[in-house]
Amino acid sequence: MNKQPPDNPILTVVKSAKPVNKKVQPDRFANRLIDRLGIVNYRLVKIQNVRNKDSSAAADIQIPLFLTGCCLIDYEIISDDGLVENRYFVLIGKTTKGHDLPPIKVSTEKFAGMAWPMQWGNQMIVAPGNGNKDNARAAIQILSGDVRVEREYRHTGWRLIDGKEQFLTVSGAISAEGFNDNIRVDLDKMEQYRLPAPTNEVHQFSTIVRELIGISRKSPTIGAVIMSAVCRAPLANLACIDYSIFLSGQSGNFKSELAALALGFFGDFTSRTFPANFTDTEADMLFKAHQAKDVVFVVDEFCPATSHKDANVMHSKAEALFRSAGNQSGRGRRNADMSGKAAYHPRGMVIATGEDNPRGASLNGRMLIVELKEGDIEKDNLTALQQRSIRGDLRALMAAYVQWLASRIDELKQDFPKKQHEFRQVAIDEGFATSHARAAEIYASMLAGFDLFLNFLNEVGAISETGALELYDTIQQSLKTTIKAQKEFQDSNDNVKVFRELLQSCFLSGRVHVADRLTQQAPKAKPAVWGWRALESGGEVVGRGTLIGWVDEPTQQLLLDPAAAFSEVKKLASTQDEPFLLSRATLCKRLMERNQLLEVEKDNSTGKDRPTIKRSIGGKNTRVLVFPCDFIRDSKDD
């Protein structure tokens, strides 16, 4: 007797369809079939026509694609970080028992691999069998139908959306028209970047500004720099910020708390919730700094005084961060197929804190260093501003400011760079920004940012014109003082100066000596200065350490063997955990450019000056660097 084929499951699907759910909404998990792929009683299935072995009749049977439930694409996300767009599916699921599963987010690249159901653990099991994964993927896409597509921004700051400039934070967007919380912003681990809807209550704005500027009566420049940095941050879209602020000082001097106040204008931050730390990887820091567009971005705790290896790693991270900000470019990298990877770099105002300064004159030129000493920050002033930050007063001020900017952003794109250029020229003409070629630009950038902020305060009625002028003069003088102070930090990283100091230390410590050019013996005048010591009292003096050059006493010239001198300086620097990073050729060039050499000669092949010259030493022509004797020996030694 032949077996009868089972009931047609297609008819069963249609008859048992549930068009709406309990909330009287279209039920996306209702029984249905499309192109022989369907949902039956909350299970994803494939309908296959199978011939009965005992008869010539064929019947449709259900082949489960998921054993324990089904899932669908709820909506699609285009994730936009400003450089790269990635696509994701947000999937919703239901078990065969009718239990809803939480939504999960899967990149479109990983969707086809069908490993993502494991995010639901054991509640969503893919059926075994050849081709079931491909059938399940196709079924999900077909049964999901036309899903909505949402754009998700992965950065803060200005973005042109629907034809108008809008300022993004996690809470939504602020435009000239007001606040829009329908715009999606996802910053992963930096969810604290949130601005509220702008307010018209401007009476407290002036008080906030004055309190921050006056946070240190002992060192007024501190508050001026922080306030200027806050004002400049949302203007990075008008003119890039190619420098960073570095708050330097011992632990306990409130530098982290001060940085947290700057962050408090852009979100719900404290000194325990910074967006980044120098223990983060270089790639992580740079990506987050890229996300933090047109806002303050703080990297805390530059403390390299651990081990030599750890110190080098931390200095390397600082080099990557500050140079990337200064150059406004990221580190180029390639995929395995040699296609280019996105090169991320900071797009806002970077503020870092540390107990030691990053090394390198070039790197320091890309920073504005503010030193905090014990007692500089008055605790009562700090506490009052921290309470304001907790209440959201600082964020309310910034929300009102960016709305004011939004209404005039197009004209500011033309006017602000011009204003910044004018201030830069003033700094050059007055001659106070001489520490580095970038110093005048940093001064102009910060002053122009605060000047525009004062225009906002005056226009909204938060401050009078007289009050605005007073604050402008305060900030201007404080910024000038801060810029002048950068020379001290630059000098400490001046490679020529460092070379001279290390060379002097080599002589004092007995690591090196120089001989008389003619006799090859101890110089007659002050041999101890030139590294010669007596082994015993009253005995004959001998040269200590390595011979690195000669003294020509009649002409008062010091002739150094460049290779030997450079090698000993490098060795001494490495023992102090402060490696001398300049190459020998570059150092010689710097010495020549700084007019430290008494004599140079023309290169016959290029016609350019070369730092070494030939001198007869012990009957042999030897190339040497020619210095005055006082390059090592002070005049008081004579």
Side-chain angles (χ1 to χ4, degrees):
M1 180 177 176
N2 292 337
K3 294 181 180 179
Q4 295 295 320
D7 293 337
N8 191 321
I10 299 177
L11 296 178
T12 304
V13 166
V14 173
K15 290 178 181 178
S16 60
K18 300 174 183 178
V20 296
N21 60 20
K22 294 178 180 179
K23 296 180 181 180
V24 197
Q25 297 171 335
D27 187 358
R28 300 191 64 192
F29 292 99
N31 291 352
R32 64 187 184 279
L33 188 68
I34 301 176
D35 295 334
R36 306 188 74 79
L37 298 170
I39 297 173
V40 178
N41 297 328
Y42 303 135
R43 181 180 279 115
L44 198 65
V45 299
K46 175 185 177 183
I47 305 303
Q48 186 167 327
N49 190 262
V50 178
R51 186 174 298 279
N52 194 307
K53 293 181 181 179
D54 300 326
S55 72
S56 59
D60 288 338
I61 64 170
Q62 300 175 13
I63 298 177
L65 301 177
F66 282 138
L67 299 179
T68 55
C70 62
C71 61
L72 296 170
I73 299 170
D74 190 19
Y75 59 96
E76 185 177 341
I77 296 174
I78 299 175
S79 182
D80 181 349
D81 65 21
L83 281 183
V84 177
E85 289 188 1
N86 292 305
R87 287 180 176 265
Y88 297 87
F89 290 145
V90 174
L91 292 117
I92 52 177
K94 192 179 284 283
T95 68
T96 51
K97 295 180 180 180
H99 298 149
D100 291 325
L101 297 177
I104 60 172
K105 184 178 176 181
V106 179
S107 71
T108 54
E109 292 179 351
K110 294 181 178 180
F111 177 74
M114 294 301 293
W116 49 265
M118 291 303 295
Q119 292 187 49
W120 279 316
N122 208 41
Q123 297 185 85
M124 189 65 67
I125 302 174
V126 180
N130 294 332
N132 273 357
K133 286 186 177 182
D134 282 340
N135 285 321
R137 173 194 57 77
I140 293 169
Q141 289 185 275
I142 291 172
L143 293 167
S144 296
D146 293 331
V147 297
R148 73 183 189 278
V149 178
E150 294 186 1
R151 183 168 289 271
E152 173 185 271
Y153 296 96
R154 299 289 309 282
H155 65 84
T156 62
W158 297 105
R159 191 66 186 259
L160 188 65
I161 303 173
D162 298 330
K164 56 187 177 184
E165 291 283 356
Q166 305 195 48
F167 194 90
L168 304 176
T169 63
V170 174
S171 53
I174 297 174
S175 66
E177 287 76 23
F179 186 70
N180 181 359
D181 60 1
N182 291 322
I183 292 180
R184 184 189 187 106
V185 179
D186 183 5
L187 300 181
D188 295 328
K189 299 177 182 179
M190 301 194 299
E191 294 294 302
Q192 292 94 341
Y193 279 109
R194 295 174 179 270
L195 287 182
T199 176
N200 293 323
E201 297 180 10
V202 301
H203 60 278
Q204 61 180 338
F205 291 172
S206 176
T207 305
I208 294 171
V209 175
R210 293 180 187 278
E211 286 182 359
L212 182 52
I213 292 174
I215 195 168
S216 173
R217 284 179 290 186
K218 187 176 179 181
S219 182
T221 58
I222 294 174
V225 169
I226 295 300
M227 190 70 244
S228 299
V230 167
C231 299
R232 183 62 177 86
L235 308 177
N237 202 40
L238 307 179
C240 68
I241 301 174
D242 56 0
Y243 56 92
S244 304
I245 309 295
F246 191 84
L247 304 180
S248 174
Q250 293 182 356
S251 179
N253 288 354
F254 300 119
K255 56 186 181 296
S256 294
E257 286 74 14
L258 191 62
L261 284 179
L263 271 175
F265 283 87
F266 297 93
D268 185 17
F269 289 97
T270 69
S271 59
R272 299 294 179 268
T273 57
F274 286 128
N277 189 290
F278 277 102
T279 58
D280 297 339
T281 66
E282 175 187 320
D284 185 55
M285 277 197 302
L286 290 178
F287 179 68
K288 288 189 290 190
H290 177 86
Q291 287 183 292
K293 181 177 180 290
D294 307 322
V295 297
V296 166
F297 177 75
V298 172
V299 187
D300 195 34
E301 288 193 304
F302 180 75
C303 303
T306 50
S307 67
H308 182 69
K309 179 181 177 181
D310 291 342
N312 286 337
V313 169
M314 193 160 286
H315 276 288
S316 177
K317 291 179 184 178
E319 170 86 12
L321 176 68
F322 298 128
R323 196 168 294 281
S324 183
N327 296 341
Q328 285 293 286
S329 62
R331 181 181 177 185
R333 296 176 298 163
R334 295 280 168 179
N335 295 304
D337 62 357
M338 296 309 293
S339 59
K341 288 186 176 181
Y344 295 106
H345 68 272
R347 297 190 293 172
M349 175 64 74
V350 175
I351 298 179
T353 72
E355 296 181 23
D356 191 10
N357 295 345
R359 58 194 176 208
S362 175
L363 199 64
N364 278 208
R366 291 165 167 80
M367 298 188 295
L368 186 67
I369 300 175
V370 180
E371 196 168 26
L372 276 71
K373 300 182 178 65
E374 186 176 359
D376 277 350
I377 303 298
E378 297 171 35
K379 196 168 183 179
D380 289 344
N381 294 348
L382 176 64
T383 301
L385 279 166
Q386 286 175 327
Q387 291 299 319
R388 284 188 175 275
S389 183
I390 292 170
R391 290 198 303 267
D393 296 347
L394 309 187
R395 298 191 292 280
L397 170 54
M398 186 53 62
Y401 181 41
V402 296
Q403 183 182 29
W404 181 85
L405 289 172
S407 63
R408 47 188 52 78
I409 197 80
D410 290 334
E411 61 188 76
L412 286 174
K413 288 178 181 179
Q414 303 296 323
D415 296 342
F416 184 76
K418 293 178 182 177
K419 176 64 71 174
Q420 188 168 290
H421 180 76
E422 291 173 9
F423 287 146
R424 177 179 179 274
Q425 192 59 49
V426 169
I428 293 172
D429 292 343
E430 292 187 8
F432 62 84
T434 58
S435 60
H436 191 274
R438 290 176 178 248
E441 187 69 38
I442 294 173
Y443 164 81
S445 172
M446 298 195 74
L447 184 59
F450 186 73
D451 181 59
L452 184 60
F453 183 73
L454 283 178
N455 290 343
F456 152 70
L457 291 178
N458 181 244
E459 279 195 25
V460 300
I463 194 171
S464 66
E465 289 189 13
T466 302
L469 287 172
E470 289 175 355
L471 286 179
Y472 176 84
D473 288 341
T474 298
I475 293 292
Q476 183 186 47
Q477 292 306 315
S478 293
L479 289 177
K480 284 183 179 181
T481 301
T482 306
I483 291 295
K484 290 175 183 177
Q486 300 308 298
K487 190 175 188 306
E488 175 187 346
F489 304 113
Q490 283 297 110
D491 286 347
S492 66
N493 285 281
D494 184 331
N495 288 308
V496 170
K497 184 177 180 181
V498 170
F499 173 75
R500 181 182 181 182
E501 291 174 349
L502 287 170
L503 193 58
Q504 289 173 331
S505 295
C506 285
F507 279 105
L508 289 171
S509 60
R511 300 175 70 96
V512 302
H513 71 282
V514 294
D516 182 87
R517 185 178 75 87
L518 297 176
T519 66
Q520 304 296 303
Q521 301 300 315
K524 294 180 181 179
K526 303 288 184 180
V529 173
W530 301 116
W532 294 74
R533 306 283 192 280
L535 296 179
E536 57 184 31
S537 179
E540 183 180 359
V541 295
V542 297
R544 303 289 300 275
T546 304
L547 175 70
I548 63 168
W550 304 266
V551 173
D552 191 334
E553 294 193 293
T555 61
Q556 287 295 291
Q557 290 181 346
L558 173 64
L559 313 176
L560 290 184
D561 178 335
F566 184 77
S567 175
E568 290 302 321
V569 164
K570 292 268 287 187
K571 289 177 184 176
L572 178 59
S574 66
T575 64
Q576 300 174 349
D577 286 341
E578 290 285 347
F580 191 77
L581 302 176
L582 221 58
S583 69
R584 173 157 52 99
T586 302
L587 173 64
C588 291
K589 188 184 296 184
R590 296 285 182 270
L591 290 166
M592 184 170 60
E593 292 170 350
R594 296 278 293 277
N595 296 319
Q596 298 295 308
L597 303 178
L598 288 178
E599 296 182 31
V600 296
E601 70 177 27
K602 292 288 184 184
D603 188 306
N604 292 330
S605 60
T606 65
K608 296 180 179 180
D609 289 337
R610 62 186 303 175
T612 59
I613 68 168
K614 287 184 180 179
R615 280 291 177 89
S616 177
I617 308 291
K620 291 174 56 180
N621 281 335
T622 303
R623 284 206 166 271
V624 294
L625 296 167
V626 182
F627 295 92
C629 281
D630 61 11
F631 188 75
I632 296 299
R633 185 184 64 190
D634 293 334
S635 58
K636 64 183 179 182
D637 294 325
D638 294 331

